[in-house]
Amino acid sequence: MRYLASDVYALLEELACEYMEERYPHGEVWVAPGEQIFVLPDPDLIDGQKWFDADVLDHNLRDRWVGFRLPLPIPRCR
């Protein structure tokens, strides 16, 4: 299952998370309210659209910030 990247970015912005304009080799550095830093992995490009592996993203965000409900409250697609 996957999350559409645009849905993930919109959710993060809605939760007042900010992209720090920094990168690690395989992801972007973000900060959540309360200064909790997390890395959002790079999405996969599939048929011209960017997608996140839902299980990987849920695992990455688990226990990062109390505001994240897992699985994320956005549609999962195949």
Side-chain angles (χ1 to χ4, degrees):
M1 300 297 281
R2 298 186 176 278
Y3 293 124
L4 187 59
S6 59
D7 290 343
V8 172
Y9 294 132
L11 174 66
L12 293 177
E13 290 173 2
E14 179 183 314
L15 294 172
C17 297
E18 296 181 36
Y19 172 51
M20 298 301 297
E21 299 187 24
E22 295 181 34
R23 291 193 46 80
Y24 284 133
H26 299 289
E28 304 172 338
V29 179
W30 284 69
V31 63
E35 303 302 315
Q36 175 67 45
I37 295 173
F38 63 97
V39 176
L40 191 64
D42 290 328
D44 300 314
L45 185 61
I46 302 172
D47 295 329
Q49 289 190 306
K50 293 182 180 182
W51 296 88
F52 289 102
D53 181 294
D55 292 332
V56 170
L57 194 58
D58 286 346
H59 179 73
N60 186 15
L61 296 177
R62 188 176 317 283
D63 300 325
R64 298 293 181 186
W65 176 51
V66 176
F68 289 124
R69 295 183 322 217
L70 299 173
L72 296 178
I74 53 179
R76 284 180 169 222
C77 303
R78 290 193 173 252

